[in-house]
Amino acid sequence: SYYKNIEETEKDIDAFITLTKDEALRTARNIDEKIANNEEVGLLAGIPIAVKDNIATRGIKTTCGSKILENFVSPYDATVVEKIKREDAIIIGKTNMDEFAMGSSTETSYFKKTKNPHDLERVPGGSSGGSAAAVAGFEAPLSLGSETGGSVREPASFCGVVGLKPTYGLISRYGLIAFASSLDQIGPFARNVEDTALLLSVLAGYDEKDSTSVENKSIDYTKELNSNVKGMKFALPKEYFGEGIDEKVKAKVLEAVEVLKGLGAEVEEISLPYTEYALSCYYIISTSEASSNLARFDGIRYGYRAENYKDLDELYINTRSEGFGEEVKRRIMLGTFALSSGYYDAYYNKAQKIRTLIKRDFDKAFEKYDAIISPTAPILPFKIGEKINDPLSMYMSDILTVSVNLAGVCAISVPCGNLNGLPVGLQIIGDRFKEQKILNIAYTYE
Ligand code: GLN
């Protein structure tokens, strides 16, 4: 039935890079058989899942939205893929994304431009735009995305679905193609909070293959799901409702905050003073780490190799010049510059210090408040083409999301209404490992 939906809508939405119909139907039949034979099946038995194309899937292409990995087939499954397979989910395809997850609109993909199912002239957000659009467009009930600086929450907001960025270390990064390793996390998309909680329960947990994975017990987030916010205290950071935020988006979010008050929660305004530096800090740290992580794409070890070269240096240069797109090259150059001798202290080291201060802003807020609430994105989904030639204005769409990644805390985006048919997302930020709490708060909006 989902493939029927895909046949009807995929030509308009373009959410997928690869569809895996034959394999998916075979898996589905096996699960049917298991059920017919009264064999035990997993938590996600028979549920189709779309997977972002930077998450390794054995035997299925993993392109990362890039020409340099156009024909790359991973020899192993990412830990999250192993986990969903173990629970009998069905992978129905790999979704479109900004190249190497660098972008906020899915327009930097080498392959195609994904459209927002609510308005086909607009972007679905990014970089996990394909995964968000697939769920919003009824091409999949669940999907996996990844976050380095908002790439699950911003597209969730733009597409009117739920998206969660887990605490750093909660979900294994093994098999996620690295962008900025100190920030990267995989996150679930779903059409409602309960489904998000279910998928998160499957994904979370310690993995010895990821050295930053935190040793914790597995949790069933659906069991404790409730919308009792009575007596909770919420903070509205004034920096998240200030300059650069669309007045109508702000009003919609404040309207939604009234719902929490009505249910007996206390809401106060606070200040997170280092917010001002979050974007600059994020773009220095993430590009620095990216410049190092992407050094492995050299035409020797993986994927694309240039046809014409005279010697080894030229092989590297031509492969990378031809294989990477503009945005990826821009990030590699920015990161290489920030890490270079003479500039390292001024940029990279300074950014690391600011990162600590941003984290302390959050630590202080969570001493007093259960969660921080804000819009997820400062603006409504914009038109395709509107920002692609203006990187700085594109980077501005991350202004409300990147601090969460820098601090390593968790956050969820939940739909809180529409403006002219375009969805608005409400962001709920929680302290480290408070996923259950933010899911419960989000649950009040269902
Ligand atoms: N839009 C941000 C960037 O371009 C975030 C990307 C991400 O979270 N993967 O870096």
Side-chain angles (χ1 to χ4, degrees):
S1 120
Y2 270 97
Y3 272 111
K4 217 172 269 162
N5 292 354
I6 289 172
E7 262 162 44
E8 272 164 32
T9 55
E10 178 59 7
K11 58 182 186 313
D12 295 327
I13 297 177
D14 274 325
F16 289 90
I17 293 175
T18 305
L19 285 164
T20 49
K21 188 170 179 181
D22 295 343
E23 171 83 33
L25 293 181
R26 218 174 309 131
T27 314
R29 274 185 217 111
N30 287 342
I31 296 164
D32 280 347
E33 227 166 87
K34 273 199 201 173
I35 293 171
N37 295 335
N38 277 327
E39 281 172 52
E40 211 179 303
V41 289
L43 266 178
L44 303 175
I47 300 178
I49 299 194
V51 177
K52 187 176 181 180
D53 215 15
N54 59 350
I55 299 175
T57 41
R58 187 161 43 91
I60 306 169
K61 272 193 235 173
T62 298
T63 70
C64 223
S66 183
K67 176 176 177 183
I68 214 159
L69 289 176
E70 186 172 6
N71 294 309
F72 174 69
V73 178
S74 164
Y76 66 91
D77 276 331
T79 295
V80 290
V81 170
E82 262 179 24
K83 285 188 167 202
I84 59 172
K85 282 185 176 171
R86 206 181 301 141
E87 296 298 340
D88 289 319
I90 300 169
I91 294 173
I92 55 168
K94 303 292 296 287
T95 56
N96 195 26
M97 55 181 283
D98 281 300
E99 186 179 3
F100 282 94
M102 296 169 181
S104 311
S105 66
T106 313
E107 291 168 290
T108 72
S109 167
Y110 169 66
F111 299 97
K112 47 171 73 170
K113 293 197 185 355
T114 299
K115 287 85 180 174
N116 190 317
H118 296 271
D119 178 345
L120 298 176
E121 284 179 12
R122 291 178 191 268
V123 302
S127 65
S128 316
S131 290
V135 170
F138 292 85
E139 297 183 278
L142 298 175
S143 65
L144 299 184
S146 74
E147 276 239 5
T148 303
S151 278
V152 168
R153 287 164 288 155
E154 189 242 16
S157 171
F158 278 13
C159 289
V161 297
V162 181
L164 186 139
K165 183 275 176 200
T167 304
Y168 187 77
L170 183 75
I171 296 181
S172 170
R173 289 182 297 114
Y174 182 73
L176 168 68
I177 296 177
F179 167 1
S181 312
S182 77
L183 301 160
D184 296 344
Q185 272 293 289
I186 288 165
F189 285 100
R191 242 172 272 130
N192 60 52
V193 174
E194 198 177 346
D195 290 357
T196 309
L198 175 68
L199 184 51
L200 183 68
S201 308
V202 171
L203 303 174
Y206 175 68
D207 180 14
E208 60 178 16
K209 295 199 198 98
D210 172 0
S211 63
T212 59
S213 168
V214 172
E215 285 201 52
N216 49 8
K217 299 191 287 301
S218 69
I219 301 176
D220 179 353
Y221 295 96
T222 59
K223 250 186 30 219
E224 310 267 308
L225 201 60
N226 70 72
S227 51
N228 184 5
V229 294
K230 195 160 183 232
M232 282 196 189
K233 290 181 90 164
F234 299 128
L236 307 182
K238 65 169 194 262
E239 293 81 2
Y240 285 56
F241 288 86
E243 212 187 315
I245 320 294
D246 182 325
E247 286 296 327
K248 292 193 292 290
V249 169
K250 199 159 103 183
K252 200 81 201 162
V253 168
L254 288 174
E255 224 175 80
V257 169
E258 289 301 313
V259 174
L260 297 173
K261 282 193 196 161
L263 292 169
E266 254 179 77
V267 180
E268 285 171 8
E269 192 183 277
I270 60 158
S271 172
L272 298 173
Y274 286 99
T275 303
E276 190 186 339
Y277 306 107
L279 261 191
S280 328
C281 175
Y282 168 81
Y283 274 96
I284 288 171
I285 292 176
S286 66
T287 56
S288 297
E289 292 186 20
S291 72
S292 164
N293 273 326
L294 270 57
R296 75 191 64 170
F297 301 102
D298 55 7
I300 307 286
R301 284 174 279 196
Y302 311 88
Y304 178 76
R305 178 180 300 174
E307 269 170 26
N308 301 311
Y309 51 87
K310 285 197 302 287
D311 52 24
L312 188 61
D313 274 348
E314 220 179 78
L315 162 65
Y316 293 152
I317 293 169
N318 293 354
T319 295
R320 289 166 67 85
S321 304
E322 294 161 26
F324 288 137
E326 290 302 304
E327 185 60 28
V328 175
K329 286 180 192 160
R330 180 179 298 122
R331 307 272 181 127
I332 293 173
M333 284 191 276
L334 283 169
T336 306
F337 178 76
L339 289 179
S340 57
S341 121
Y343 295 102
Y344 185 91
D345 281 327
Y347 295 108
Y348 185 72
N349 251 347
K350 174 91 101 343
Q352 291 290 20
K353 288 179 185 164
I354 302 278
R355 181 176 187 172
T356 303
L357 295 173
I358 290 170
K359 185 178 170 294
R360 286 192 194 146
D361 267 359
F362 281 107
D363 289 345
K364 210 168 135 223
F366 290 127
E367 279 172 17
K368 193 166 167 208
Y369 298 97
D370 290 283
I372 295 167
I373 293 181
S374 76
T376 306
I379 46 171
L380 291 168
F382 45 89
K383 289 250 169 79
I384 292 172
E386 196 181 317
K387 293 185 189 289
I388 193 68
N389 296 318
D390 183 359
L392 282 182
S393 115
M394 185 75 89
Y395 297 173
M396 286 300 285
S397 17
D398 305 327
I399 195 159
L400 302 176
T401 44
V402 295
S403 298
V404 163
N405 304 72
L406 289 166
V409 296
C410 64
I412 190 169
S413 178
V414 63
C416 71
N418 287 284
L419 287 167
N420 301 329
L422 296 173
V424 179
L426 174 102
Q427 171 167 245
I428 303 160
I429 306 172
D431 202 358
R432 289 170 59 77
F433 301 107
K434 296 292 185 211
E435 277 78 6
Q436 183 76 64
K437 192 180 267 184
I438 60 171
L439 282 163
N440 287 0
I441 300 162
Y443 199 46
T444 58
Y445 291 100
E446 305 236 306

